[in-house]
Structures are given as C-alpha cells and as structure tokens.
Coordinates of all heavy atoms in Angstrom, one line a residue:
M999 N 0.8 -1.2 0.0 CA 0.0 0.0 0.0 C 0.9 1.2 0.0 O 1.7 1.4 0.9 CB -0.9 0.0 1.3 CG -2.0 -1.0 1.2 SD -3.5 -0.3 0.4 CE -4.2 0.5 1.8
S1000 N 0.7 2.1 -1.0 CA 1.4 3.3 -1.0 C 0.6 4.3 -0.1 O -0.6 4.4 -0.2 CB 1.5 3.9 -2.4 OG 2.0 5.2 -2.4
R1001 N 1.4 5.1 0.6 CA 0.7 6.1 1.5 C 0.5 7.4 0.7 O -0.1 8.3 1.1 CB 1.5 6.4 2.7 CG 2.8 7.0 2.5 CD 3.7 6.9 3.8 NE 5.1 7.4 3.5 CZ 5.5 8.6 3.5 NH1 4.6 9.5 3.9 NH2 6.7 8.9 3.2
R1002 N 1.1 7.4 -0.5 CA 0.9 8.6 -1.3 C -0.1 8.3 -2.4 O 0.2 7.4 -3.2 CB 2.2 9.1 -1.9 CG 2.1 10.5 -2.6 CD 3.3 10.8 -3.4 NE 4.5 10.6 -2.6 CZ 5.6 10.2 -3.1 NH1 5.7 9.9 -4.4 NH2 6.7 10.1 -2.4
K1003 N -1.2 9.0 -2.5 CA -2.2 8.6 -3.5 C -2.2 9.6 -4.7 O -2.8 9.3 -5.7 CB -3.6 8.6 -2.8 CG -3.7 7.6 -1.7 CD -5.1 7.7 -1.1 CE -5.2 6.9 0.1 NZ -4.9 7.7 1.4
L1004 N -1.5 10.7 -4.5 CA -1.6 11.7 -5.6 C -0.4 11.6 -6.5 O 0.7 11.4 -6.1 CB -1.6 13.1 -4.9 CG -2.7 13.4 -4.0 CD1 -2.4 14.7 -3.2 CD2 -4.0 13.6 -4.8
P1005 N -0.7 11.6 -7.9 CA 0.3 11.4 -8.9 C 1.1 12.7 -9.2 O 1.1 13.1 -10.3 CB -0.5 10.9 -10.1 CG -1.8 11.7 -9.9 CD -2.0 11.8 -8.4
F1006 N 1.7 13.3 -8.1 CA 2.4 14.5 -8.3 C 3.8 14.4 -7.9 O 4.2 13.5 -7.1 CB 1.8 15.6 -7.5 CG 0.4 15.9 -7.9 CD1 -0.7 15.8 -6.9 CD2 0.0 16.4 -9.1 CE1 -2.0 16.1 -7.3 CE2 -1.3 16.6 -9.5 CZ -2.3 16.5 -8.6
K1007 N 4.7 15.3 -8.4 CA 6.0 15.4 -7.9 C 6.1 16.9 -7.4 O 5.4 17.8 -7.8 CB 7.0 15.1 -9.0 CG 6.9 16.0 -10.2 CD 7.9 15.5 -11.3 CE 7.7 16.3 -12.5 NZ 8.6 15.9 -13.6
A1008 N 7.1 17.1 -6.6 CA 7.2 18.5 -6.0 C 8.5 19.2 -6.5 O 9.6 18.5 -6.6 CB 7.3 18.4 -4.5
C1009 N 8.4 20.5 -6.8 CA 9.5 21.3 -7.2 C 10.4 21.4 -5.9 O 10.0 21.7 -4.8 CB 9.0 22.6 -7.6 SG 10.4 23.8 -7.9
V1010 N 11.7 21.1 -6.1 CA 12.7 21.2 -5.0 C 12.8 22.6 -4.5 O 13.0 22.8 -3.3 CB 14.0 20.6 -5.5 CG1 15.1 20.9 -4.4 CG2 13.9 19.1 -5.8
K1011 N 12.7 23.6 -5.4 CA 12.9 25.0 -5.0 C 11.7 25.6 -4.3 O 11.9 26.1 -3.2 CB 13.2 25.8 -6.2 CG 14.7 26.0 -6.6 CD 14.8 27.1 -7.6 CE 16.3 27.2 -8.0 NZ 16.4 28.1 -9.2
C1012 N 10.6 25.5 -4.9 CA 9.4 26.2 -4.3 C 8.3 25.3 -3.8 O 7.4 25.8 -3.2 CB 8.8 27.2 -5.3 SG 8.0 26.3 -6.7
K1013 N 8.5 24.0 -3.9 CA 7.6 23.0 -3.4 C 6.3 22.9 -4.1 O 5.3 22.3 -3.6 CB 7.4 23.2 -1.9 CG 8.7 23.0 -1.1 CD 8.5 23.1 0.4 CE 9.8 23.0 1.1 NZ 9.6 23.5 2.5
L1014 N 6.1 23.6 -5.2 CA 4.9 23.5 -6.0 C 4.7 22.0 -6.4 O 5.7 21.4 -6.9 CB 5.0 24.4 -7.2 CG 3.7 24.4 -8.1 CD1 2.6 25.2 -7.4 CD2 4.0 25.0 -9.4
L1015 N 3.5 21.5 -6.3 CA 3.2 20.2 -6.8 C 2.7 20.3 -8.2 O 1.9 21.0 -8.6 CB 2.1 19.5 -5.9 CG 2.6 19.2 -4.5 CD1 1.4 18.6 -3.7 CD2 3.7 18.1 -4.5
V1016 N 3.4 19.5 -9.1 CA 3.0 19.4 -10.5 C 2.8 18.0 -11.0 O 3.2 17.0 -10.3 CB 4.1 20.1 -11.4 CG1 4.3 21.5 -11.0 CG2 5.4 19.3 -11.3
D1017 N 2.2 17.8 -12.1 CA 2.0 16.5 -12.7 C 3.3 15.9 -13.0 O 4.3 16.5 -13.3 CB 1.1 16.6 -14.0 CG -0.3 16.9 -13.7 OD1 -0.8 16.6 -12.6 OD2 -0.9 17.5 -14.6
E1018 N 3.3 14.5 -13.0 CA 4.6 13.8 -13.2 C 5.2 14.1 -14.5 O 6.4 14.0 -14.7 CB 4.3 12.3 -13.1 CG 3.9 11.8 -11.8 CD 5.1 11.6 -10.8 OE1 6.3 12.0 -11.2 OE2 4.9 11.2 -9.7
D1019 N 4.5 14.5 -15.5 CA 5.0 14.8 -16.9 C 5.5 16.2 -17.1 O 5.9 16.5 -18.2 CB 4.0 14.3 -17.9 CG 2.7 15.0 -17.9 OD1 2.5 15.8 -16.9 OD2 1.9 14.9 -18.8
V1020 N 5.4 17.0 -16.1 CA 5.9 18.4 -16.2 C 7.4 18.5 -16.1 O 8.0 17.9 -15.3 CB 5.2 19.3 -15.1 CG1 5.8 20.7 -15.1 CG2 3.7 19.4 -15.4
D1021 N 8.0 19.2 -17.1 CA 9.5 19.3 -17.1 C 10.0 20.5 -16.4 O 11.1 20.5 -15.8 CB 10.0 19.3 -18.5 CG 9.8 18.0 -19.2 OD1 9.8 16.9 -18.5 OD2 9.6 17.9 -20.4
V1022 N 9.3 21.6 -16.5 CA 9.7 22.9 -15.9 C 8.7 23.4 -14.9 O 7.5 23.5 -15.3 CB 10.0 23.9 -17.0 CG1 10.5 25.3 -16.4 CG2 11.0 23.4 -18.0
C1023 N 9.1 23.8 -13.8 CA 8.2 24.3 -12.8 C 7.5 25.6 -13.3 O 8.3 26.6 -13.6 CB 8.9 24.6 -11.5 SG 7.8 25.4 -10.2
P1024 N 6.2 25.7 -13.4 CA 5.6 26.9 -13.9 C 5.6 28.1 -12.9 O 5.3 29.2 -13.2 CB 4.1 26.5 -14.1 CG 3.9 25.3 -13.2 CD 5.3 24.6 -13.0
N1025 N 6.1 27.8 -11.7 CA 6.1 28.8 -10.6 C 7.5 29.5 -10.6 O 7.6 30.7 -10.6 CB 5.8 28.1 -9.3 CG 5.5 29.1 -8.2 OD1 5.2 30.2 -8.5 ND2 5.4 28.6 -7.0
C1026 N 8.6 28.7 -10.6 CA 9.9 29.3 -10.4 C 10.9 28.9 -11.5 O 12.0 29.4 -11.5 CB 10.5 28.8 -9.1 SG 11.0 27.1 -9.0
G1027 N 10.4 28.1 -12.5 CA 11.3 27.8 -13.6 C 12.3 26.7 -13.4 O 13.1 26.4 -14.2
S1028 N 12.3 26.1 -12.2 CA 13.3 25.0 -11.8 C 13.0 23.8 -12.6 O 11.8 23.5 -12.9 CB 13.2 24.8 -10.3 OG 14.0 23.6 -10.0
R1029 N 14.0 23.0 -12.9 CA 13.8 21.7 -13.5 C 14.1 20.6 -12.5 O 14.3 19.4 -12.9 CB 14.8 21.6 -14.7 CG 14.4 22.4 -15.9 CD 15.4 22.4 -17.0 NE 15.0 23.2 -18.1 CZ 14.2 22.7 -19.1 NH1 13.9 21.5 -19.1 NH2 13.9 23.5 -20.1
E1030 N 14.3 20.9 -11.3 CA 14.6 19.9 -10.3 C 13.3 19.5 -9.5 O 12.7 20.4 -8.9 CB 15.6 20.5 -9.3 CG 17.0 20.2 -9.6 CD 17.9 20.6 -8.5 OE1 18.1 19.7 -7.6 OE2 18.3 21.7 -8.4
F1031 N 12.9 18.3 -9.6 CA 11.7 17.8 -8.9 C 12.1 16.6 -8.0 O 13.1 15.9 -8.3 CB 10.7 17.4 -9.9 CG 10.2 18.6 -10.7 CD1 10.8 18.8 -12.0 CD2 9.2 19.4 -10.3 CE1 10.3 19.9 -12.7 CE2 8.8 20.5 -11.0 CZ 9.3 20.8 -12.3
T1032 N 11.2 16.3 -7.1 CA 11.5 15.2 -6.2 C 10.1 14.4 -6.0 O 9.1 15.1 -5.9 CB 12.1 15.6 -4.9 OG1 12.2 14.4 -4.1 CG2 11.2 16.6 -4.1
D1033 N 10.3 13.1 -5.9 CA 9.1 12.3 -5.6 C 9.0 12.1 -4.0 O 8.1 11.6 -3.5 CB 9.2 10.9 -6.2 CG 8.9 11.0 -7.7 OD1 8.1 11.8 -8.1 OD2 9.6 10.3 -8.5
N1034 N 10.1 12.6 -3.4 CA 10.2 12.5 -2.0 C 9.6 13.7 -1.2 O 10.3 14.6 -0.8 CB 11.6 12.2 -1.6 CG 11.8 11.8 -0.2 OD1 10.8 11.5 0.5 ND2 13.0 11.6 0.3
W1035 N 8.3 13.8 -1.2 CA 7.6 14.9 -0.6 C 6.5 14.4 0.3 O 6.0 13.3 0.2 CB 7.1 15.9 -1.6 CG 6.1 15.3 -2.6 CD1 6.4 14.7 -3.8 CD2 4.7 15.2 -2.5 NE1 5.3 14.2 -4.4 CE2 4.2 14.5 -3.6 CE3 3.8 15.6 -1.5 CZ2 2.9 14.3 -3.8 CZ3 2.4 15.3 -1.7 CH2 2.0 14.7 -2.9
E1036 N 6.1 15.3 1.2 CA 5.1 14.9 2.2 C 4.1 16.1 2.4 O 4.6 17.3 2.4 CB 5.7 14.6 3.6 CG 6.4 13.3 3.7 CD 7.1 13.2 5.0 OE1 6.6 13.7 6.0 OE2 8.2 12.6 5.0
G1037 N 2.9 15.8 2.6 CA 1.9 16.8 3.0 C 1.5 17.6 1.8 O 2.2 17.8 0.8
V1038 N 0.3 18.1 1.8 CA -0.2 19.0 0.7 C -0.8 20.3 1.3 O -1.6 20.2 2.3 CB -1.3 18.3 -0.1 CG1 -1.9 19.2 -1.2 CG2 -0.7 17.0 -0.7
V1039 N -0.4 21.4 0.8 CA -1.0 22.7 1.2 C -1.6 23.3 0.0 O -0.9 23.5 -1.0 CB 0.0 23.6 1.8 CG1 -0.7 24.9 2.3 CG2 0.9 23.0 2.8
V1040 N -2.9 23.6 0.0 CA -3.5 24.3 -1.1 C -3.6 25.8 -0.7 O -4.3 26.1 0.3 CB -4.9 23.8 -1.5 CG1 -5.5 24.5 -2.6 CG2 -4.8 22.3 -1.8
V1041 N -2.9 26.6 -1.5 CA -2.9 28.1 -1.2 C -3.9 28.8 -2.2 O -3.6 28.8 -3.4 CB -1.5 28.7 -1.3 CG1 -1.6 30.2 -1.1 CG2 -0.6 28.0 -0.2
L1042 N -5.0 29.3 -1.7 CA -5.9 30.0 -2.6 C -5.7 31.5 -2.5 O -6.0 32.2 -3.4 CB -7.4 29.7 -2.1 CG -7.7 28.2 -2.2 CD1 -9.1 28.0 -1.7 CD2 -7.7 27.7 -3.7
N1043 N -5.1 31.9 -1.4 CA -4.9 33.3 -1.1 C -3.5 33.6 -0.7 O -3.1 33.4 0.5 CB -5.9 33.8 -0.1 CG -5.7 35.3 0.3 OD1 -4.9 36.0 -0.4 ND2 -6.4 35.8 1.3
P1044 N -2.6 34.0 -1.6 CA -1.2 34.1 -1.3 C -0.9 35.2 -0.3 O 0.2 35.3 0.2 CB -0.6 34.5 -2.7 CG -1.6 34.1 -3.7 CD -2.9 34.3 -3.0
S1045 N -1.9 36.1 0.0 CA -1.6 37.1 1.0 C -2.1 36.7 2.4 O -2.1 37.5 3.3 CB -2.3 38.4 0.6 OG -3.6 38.3 0.4
S1046 N -2.6 35.4 2.5 CA -3.0 34.9 3.8 C -1.9 34.7 4.7 O -0.7 34.6 4.3 CB -3.8 33.7 3.6 OG -3.0 32.6 3.2
E1047 N -2.2 34.6 6.0 CA -1.2 34.4 7.0 C -0.5 33.0 6.8 O 0.8 32.9 6.9 CB -1.8 34.4 8.4 CG -0.9 34.2 9.6 CD -0.1 35.5 9.8 OE1 -0.2 36.5 9.0 OE2 0.7 35.6 10.8
A1048 N -1.2 32.0 6.4 CA -0.7 30.7 6.2 C 0.4 30.7 5.0 O 1.5 30.1 5.2 CB -1.8 29.7 5.9
A1049 N 0.0 31.4 4.0 CA 0.9 31.5 2.8 C 2.2 32.2 3.2 O 3.3 31.9 2.8 CB 0.3 32.1 1.7
R1050 N 2.0 33.3 4.0 CA 3.2 34.1 4.5 C 4.1 33.2 5.3 O 5.3 33.2 5.1 CB 2.7 35.3 5.3 CG 3.8 36.3 5.6 CD 3.3 37.4 6.5 NE 2.9 36.9 7.8 CZ 3.8 36.6 8.7 NH1 5.1 36.8 8.5 NH2 3.4 36.2 9.9
I1051 N 3.6 32.5 6.2 CA 4.4 31.6 7.1 C 5.2 30.6 6.3 O 6.3 30.3 6.5 CB 3.5 30.9 8.2 CG1 3.1 32.0 9.2 CG2 4.3 29.8 8.9 CD1 2.0 31.5 10.1
L1052 N 4.5 30.0 5.2 CA 5.1 29.0 4.4 C 6.0 29.6 3.3 O 6.7 28.9 2.6 CB 4.0 28.1 3.8 CG 3.2 27.3 4.7 CD1 2.0 26.8 4.1 CD2 4.1 26.1 5.2
G1053 N 6.0 30.9 3.2 CA 6.8 31.6 2.2 C 6.3 31.4 0.8 O 7.1 31.3 -0.2
I1054 N 5.0 31.2 0.6 CA 4.4 31.0 -0.7 C 3.8 32.3 -1.3 O 3.1 33.0 -0.6 CB 3.3 29.9 -0.6 CG1 3.9 28.5 -0.2 CG2 2.5 29.8 -1.9 CD1 3.0 27.5 0.2
Q1055 N 4.2 32.6 -2.5 CA 3.8 33.8 -3.1 C 2.7 33.7 -4.2 O 2.2 34.7 -4.7 CB 5.0 34.6 -3.6 CG 5.7 35.3 -2.4 CD 7.2 35.4 -2.7 OE1 7.7 35.2 -3.8 NE2 8.0 35.6 -1.7
K1056 N 2.5 32.5 -4.7 CA 1.5 32.3 -5.7 C 0.6 31.2 -5.3 O 1.0 30.3 -4.6 CB 2.2 31.9 -7.0 CG 3.1 33.0 -7.7 CD 3.6 32.4 -9.0 CE 4.6 33.4 -9.6 NZ 5.2 32.9 -10.8
K1057 N -0.7 31.4 -5.7 CA -1.6 30.3 -5.3 C -1.3 29.0 -6.1 O -0.8 29.0 -7.2 CB -3.1 30.8 -5.5 CG -3.6 31.1 -6.9 CD -5.0 31.5 -6.7 CE -5.6 31.9 -8.0 NZ -7.0 32.4 -7.9
G1058 N -1.7 27.9 -5.5 CA -1.4 26.6 -6.1 C -1.4 25.6 -5.0 O -1.7 25.8 -3.9
M1059 N -0.9 24.4 -5.4 CA -0.8 23.3 -4.5 C 0.6 23.0 -4.2 O 1.4 22.8 -5.1 CB -1.5 22.1 -5.1 CG -1.8 21.0 -4.1 SD -3.1 19.8 -4.8 CE -2.3 19.3 -6.2
Y1060 N 1.0 23.0 -2.9 CA 2.4 22.8 -2.5 C 2.5 21.6 -1.6 O 1.6 21.3 -0.9 CB 2.8 24.1 -1.8 CG 2.9 25.3 -2.7 CD1 1.7 26.1 -2.9 CD2 4.1 25.7 -3.3 CE1 1.8 27.2 -3.7 CE2 4.1 26.8 -4.1 CZ 2.9 27.5 -4.3 OH 3.0 28.6 -5.2
A1061 N 3.7 21.1 -1.6 CA 4.1 20.1 -0.6 C 4.6 20.8 0.7 O 5.2 21.9 0.6 CB 5.2 19.2 -1.1
L1062 N 4.3 20.2 1.8 CA 4.8 20.7 3.1 C 6.3 20.5 3.2 O 7.0 21.4 3.6 CB 4.1 20.1 4.2 CG 2.8 20.7 4.8 CD1 2.3 19.9 6.0 CD2 3.1 22.2 5.2
K1063 N 6.7 19.3 2.8 CA 8.1 19.0 2.8 C 8.5 18.4 1.5 O 7.8 17.6 0.9 CB 8.4 17.9 3.9 CG 8.4 18.4 5.3 CD 8.9 17.2 6.1 CE 8.4 17.3 7.6 NZ 8.7 16.1 8.3
A1064 N 9.7 18.8 0.9 CA 10.2 18.3 -0.3 C 11.7 18.2 -0.2 O 12.3 19.2 0.3 CB 9.8 19.1 -1.5
R1065 N 12.3 17.1 -0.5 CA 13.7 17.0 -0.4 C 14.3 16.0 -1.4 O 13.5 15.4 -2.2 CB 14.2 16.6 1.0 CG 13.5 15.3 1.5 CD 13.8 15.0 2.9 NE 13.1 13.8 3.3 CZ 11.9 13.9 3.9 NH1 11.4 15.0 4.2 NH2 11.3 12.7 4.3
Ligands
LIG633 ZN1 9.3 25.7 -8.4

C-alpha cells in the first residue's frame, strides 16, 4: 500500500506540486523535482497568514516537505 495517493512530484525549490510529466516548474522555472515529498497545502490566497508563514507567493498546491 502506497501512502501517497496523488500522482504529483514536488519542485525542489518552491515545493509546488506538478503532474509527473511536467518538465519545468511553472512557478519558479526550476527543472529539479522530487518524488520524496510529504503533505499537501492548497494556497488559494497568497496574501493569507498561512501562505506568508510557508513563504508561498503564488496560489497553487504545494508540498509541506520536499527533499
Ligand atoms: Zn518551483
């Protein structure tokens, strides 16, 4: 049993979650991705307190941890 159900990979730089077939991060332009990520944060309002704490500047779906 896989504990990860979502078919995404995370950008190493900004932690944006993208589809497995994406080559370039649409958020920061990085080509480095990892399958080793945990947690999902959906940011709808980049000016919210939560986004500020996480250092997220654009709305989207992010991993909590990526390495
Ligand atoms: Zn990125």
Side-chain angles (χ1 to χ4, degrees):
M999 286 275 274
S1000 171
R1001 68 194 169 89
R1002 191 192 308 146
K1003 300 179 189 95
L1004 299 167
F1006 298 119
K1007 59 186 179 182
C1009 173
V1010 172
K1011 267 193 184 172
C1012 70
K1013 297 180 184 168
L1014 183 74
L1015 291 174
V1016 297
D1017 289 332
E1018 292 283 0
D1019 59 352
V1020 171
D1021 290 329
V1022 180
C1023 176
N1025 198 12
C1026 72
S1028 171
R1029 290 173 177 271
E1030 270 189 88
F1031 297 95
T1032 178
D1033 289 323
N1034 193 4
W1035 58 269
E1036 285 174 34
V1038 176
V1039 187
V1040 178
V1041 174
L1042 300 175
N1043 178 6
S1045 57
S1046 69
E1047 186 74 356
R1050 191 184 65 76
I1051 289 168
L1052 292 164
I1054 293 168
Q1055 280 149 17
K1056 292 183 188 176
K1057 64 179 173 182
M1059 194 163 61
Y1060 295 83
L1062 267 182
K1063 284 189 202 168
R1065 53 185 177 267

